[in-house]
Amino acid sequence: MKASAKAVSICILLECLTVIRASPVEAVKPNNTEITPNVHYIQILCGRDDPQGMPGTPGIDGRDGEPGMLGEKGELGIQGLKGDRGEQGPAGGGVTYIRWGKTSCPSVSGTLLLYHGIAAGSWYAHVGGGANYLCMPHNPQYGAFQAGVQGTSPIYGTEYQPYGGPLGSHDHNVPCAVCYASTRVSLLMLPARVECPTSWTREYTGYLMSNYFANNHHRTMYECVDQSPDRIPGSAPSTDGAVFYHVEAACNGLPCGPYDPQKELTCAVCTK
């Protein structure tokens, strides 16, 4: 009867002889007369590595995993450097002005005609009333009114009274045009000049005009009347009303040298 071996230790060394020694097993003879221990050895020769085989076929892609949890918000980074200044955009708002003596607006980029009308103001000899001139539209609209002429504050058309000055059109009534400079926001009426300041847009040039200074005439505003004035058709007969006279400099406080009392003062209307 062969005895079974039970391995008690295994030692493996690369490129060396590995010996597994079995534990002794007793062989039992009849009558227990003799016990002979049997020792069995198993020798395993470790071989060298075989050459590497061909790569296997790649496996299929696995399924996408589920998204992970949202991480915590990071700290605010440091402020970046200031960028370059951008180009200036178009000006907003616009500005309006009256072109006295014309029925149209000048051919200047961004300038539009709102309406044209009739220059008007208080009677030249009235003590009361308004001191300014208005550009009255051709198509007035009325609200509630009291029937009849109340005679409280009448307003009249305006006549040219150049008296031989460069403007001409004596006794004719004055038209006007209300203009809108859509790309500019500032307005300047510059007396005694026909050129505008640097970087300003010249809308038109003309002559400085106002009411007469004596003979019961009363103060009014100074206005810049276009140098090439139009006239309202059929208005040649003198009816007075409000009036426009040329303005000249007096050598009293204004230095004569640059100013000349014998020359009509010019003007320019400028926008920016």
Side-chain angles (χ1 to χ4, degrees), residues 79-137:
Q79 184 175 359
L81 298 176
K82 185 177 180 180
D84 295 334
R85 182 176 182 144
E87 296 181 1
Q88 182 176 355
V95 66
T96 60
Y97 64 89
I98 299 174
R99 188 184 189 188
W100 301 105
K102 301 296 286 186
T103 59
S104 61
C105 294
S107 298
V108 176
S109 176
T111 299
L112 308 172
L113 175 68
L114 297 182
Y115 71 91
H116 62 86
I118 304 165
S122 295
W123 186 273
Y124 69 91
H126 284 175
V127 177
N132 58 318
Y133 297 92
L134 298 176
C135 186
M136 305 296 290

Side-chain angles (χ1 to χ4, degrees), residues 87-196:
E87 296 181 1
Q88 182 176 355
V95 66
T96 60
Y97 64 89
I98 299 174
R99 188 184 189 188
W100 301 105
K102 301 296 286 186
T103 59
S104 61
C105 294
S107 298
V108 176
S109 176
T111 299
L112 308 172
L113 175 68
L114 297 182
Y115 71 91
H116 62 86
I118 304 165
S122 295
W123 186 273
Y124 69 91
H126 284 175
V127 177
N132 58 318
Y133 297 92
L134 298 176
C135 186
M136 305 296 290
H138 290 285
N139 52 343
Q141 297 174 331
Y142 292 96
F145 62 92
Q146 175 67 38
V149 177
Q150 309 305 312
T152 52
S153 183
I155 190 169
Y156 303 86
T158 303
E159 287 185 347
Y160 296 111
Q161 299 289 316
Y163 280 94
L167 204 62
S169 300
H170 191 83
D171 284 340
H172 284 272
N173 281 79
V174 182
C176 54
V178 176
C179 306
Y180 173 57
S182 61
T183 59
R184 297 172 290 281
V185 295
S186 299
L187 174 67
L188 171 67
M189 193 276 278
L190 184 59
R193 296 286 296 176
V194 295
E195 295 177 352
C196 292

Side-chain angles (χ1 to χ4, degrees), residues 186-209:
S186 299
L187 174 67
L188 171 67
M189 193 276 278
L190 184 59
R193 296 286 296 176
V194 295
E195 295 177 352
C196 292
T198 302
S199 79
W200 285 67
T201 297
R202 185 174 66 180
E203 300 288 334
Y204 73 94
T205 60
Y207 290 94
L208 198 64
M209 303 194 84

